[in-house]
Amino acid sequence: MNNLTGMKRILVTGGAGFIGSHLCKRLVEEGNDVICLDNFFTGSKRNIENLLDYHNFELIRHDVTEPILLEVDQIYNLACPASPVHYQYNPVKTIKTSVMGAINMLGMAKRVKARILQASTSEVYGNPAVHPQPEEYWGNVNPIGIRSCYDEGKRVAETLFFDYHRQNGVDIKVIRIFNTYGPNMNANDGRVVSNFIVQALKGDDITIYGDGTQTRSFCYVDDLVEGMIRMMNSRDGFTGPVNLGNPGEFTMLELAEKVIKLTGSKSKIVYKELPADDPTQRKPVIDLAKKELEWEPTIPLDKGLERTIEYFRSVV
Ligand code: NAD
Ligand code: UDP
């Protein structure tokens, strides 16, 4: 804690990415001293350029696979590419980022006695055989497929968090984030919401992979950031893992139709091959977040899509 002001010194790894940039903004505006650490693999300075003039914001170009020591009170560990296109681009680097990044950040948390939150993912449930997914479900993950660098990397990171907690008493918090969307998503990172909106705005074909019956649950980024901050500041001893996501479940066909309607686009829907290991369904049980964090999403998909479409209109 900064003794003069009572505000916290907070590190956000992956802070120049989509979610990280929203989190940094919120933490800076609340008056905390925020350090954003990023290697700019998928993030960009543009996402955080509105923060550069704040005296309580610092930017460090650094790769989490390398050790670093910073005196902070809290660490949000978000560094890791999140879209399948980006995390499959260099899969060995992806798994190194999750595993070595977790070891380096946990080592720092142990040394400086910081509280540390891991941005884990619904991907730890793999292609779930249990639906919807509660935190107790151990998942159904292919260990050798093209998504495994991400899924298994995140699973090992969770293991490391719990072992540092049990073995070294590190103060951990683990959240499992379900599909999140909003402004600052990278227009060409291949995720479904950004793809569909960009395609619709350009009048290009909307690409549905497979037959479009697979489902996802989409959470607007402001809701997620609220949940992350509540989890970081939750009671001592509550480690999670806790699901953070919006339980509203939609097929990819429904999403495509919504985007076409909200953009007023003349784009046509086309069907492409389904990527390997693409989960057929996904929806969070959020009872634990409701109970422990008094959190639940407030922004329905249509409203969140409208805001996201407005953002992409300004960048496409
Ligand atoms: P993103 O790709 O926009 O952000 C990731 C950030 O991490 C980028 O700024 C990138 O440059 C940085 N980064 C990547 N490798 C790094 C490294 N080795 N060292 C330092 N920085 C590095 O993705 P996002 O959607 O903002 O996701 C943020 C976190 O949330 C990720 O850990 C992701 O796994 C997790 N998550 C996101 C979602 C989602 O739907 N967006 C869902 C589940 C989990
Ligand atoms: N998807 C799609 N068209 C696209 C991009 C993705 O139909 O242009 C599908 C993808 O196959 C998956 C779902 O949308 O079933 C969500 O994909 P995304 O990459 O956004 O996230 P994840 O699969 O990690 O949930």
Side-chain angles (χ1 to χ4, degrees):
M1 184 88 83
N2 182 328
N3 288 330
L4 294 177
T5 64
M7 285 309 178
K8 296 195 178 67
R9 298 161 302 176
I10 303 177
L11 171 65
V12 179
T13 78
F18 158 50
I19 296 172
S21 59
H22 288 271
L23 178 64
C24 283
K25 181 163 185 285
R26 175 82 195 264
L27 295 171
V28 165
E29 284 172 350
E30 285 176 358
N32 300 289
D33 274 327
V34 177
I35 303 174
C36 165
L37 181 158
D38 208 293
N39 71 349
F40 300 114
F41 174 48
T42 52
S44 75
K45 281 196 190 149
R46 189 176 179 280
N47 285 343
I48 36 112
E49 69 185 353
N50 53 347
L51 299 178
L52 294 172
D53 288 339
Y54 283 78
H55 66 87
N56 55 336
F57 180 77
E58 275 173 80
L59 178 61
I60 300 178
R61 180 189 284 266
H62 180 81
D63 191 312
V64 288
T65 61
E66 302 291 337
I68 187 168
L69 186 65
L70 297 163
E71 290 284 341
V72 290
D73 305 303
Q74 295 184 340
I75 303 167
Y76 289 86
N77 188 36
L78 274 66
C80 185
S83 97
V85 173
H86 283 151
Y87 70 64
Q88 287 165 19
Y89 172 76
N90 184 344
V92 173
K93 177 72 191 207
T94 298
I95 199 158
K96 277 188 184 169
T97 295
S98 273
V99 176
M100 293 165 68
I103 291 171
N104 287 329
M105 292 307 123
L106 284 160
M108 190 202 306
K110 177 181 160 194
R111 176 116 174 241
V112 303
K113 296 192 169 36
R115 176 172 277 194
I116 180 167
L117 177 145
Q118 169 67 357
S120 190
T121 167
S122 54
E123 288 286 320
V124 300
Y125 302 122
N127 188 10
V130 170
H131 190 72
Q133 294 81 52
E135 289 85 354
E136 298 75 32
Y137 178 48
W138 288 354
N140 177 33
V141 176
N142 177 356
I144 57 168
I146 56 170
R147 293 176 84 101
S148 312
C149 60
Y150 182 72
D151 301 7
E152 296 289 19
K154 288 285 188 177
R155 286 171 68 96
V156 173
E158 285 199 13
T159 307
L160 283 162
F161 267 67
F162 278 83
D163 281 333
Y164 269 80
H165 175 63
R166 283 185 289 255
Q167 196 175 330
N168 301 113
V170 173
D171 186 4
I172 63 157
K173 304 277 171 186
V174 176
I175 58 169
R176 292 183 179 151
I177 304 171
F178 284 63
N179 296 61
T180 298
Y181 70 100
N184 292 2
M185 288 185 92
N186 191 325
N188 50 24
D189 79 2
R191 281 185 274 192
V192 68
V193 174
S194 43
N195 265 15
F196 285 1
I197 293 178
V198 171
Q199 289 162 345
L201 292 178
K202 288 184 168 168
D204 294 344
D205 290 343
I206 305 242
T207 53
I208 288 192
Y209 303 159
D211 62 7
T213 57
Q214 71 272 37
T215 67
R216 295 291 187 275
S217 302
F218 298 103
C219 185
Y220 189 69
V221 64
D222 289 358
D223 279 334
L224 178 79
V225 165
E226 176 66 32
M228 292 176 90
I229 293 174
R230 284 184 189 217
M231 181 57 175
M232 176 60 100
N233 297 294
S234 61
R235 68 177 170 84
D236 285 347
F238 178 60
T239 57
V242 62
N243 289 338
L244 293 183
N246 191 323
E249 186 183 11
F250 297 88
T251 67
M252 294 312 100
L253 190 54
E254 285 170 331
L255 179 69
E257 283 164 353
K258 267 186 192 298
V259 169
I260 290 174
K261 189 164 149 238
L262 291 169
T263 52
S265 172
K266 297 203 164 37
S267 292
K268 293 196 312 294
I269 290 176
V270 296
Y271 293 87
K272 303 248 167 174
E273 202 180 331
L274 188 69
D277 294 342
D278 200 282
T280 53
Q281 53 186 1
R282 197 184 279 152
K283 170 181 166 145
V285 174
I286 58 164
D287 295 351
L288 186 60
K290 280 185 185 166
K291 177 170 161 266
E292 284 287 345
L293 312 177
E294 293 177 1
W295 174 88
E296 66 183 308
T298 59
I299 300 163
L301 184 57
D302 281 59
K303 182 150 263 130
L305 284 177
E306 277 169 15
R307 292 185 196 172
T308 311
I309 289 166
E310 203 172 298
Y311 166 77
F312 277 112
R313 274 194 209 283
S314 69
V315 296
V316 169

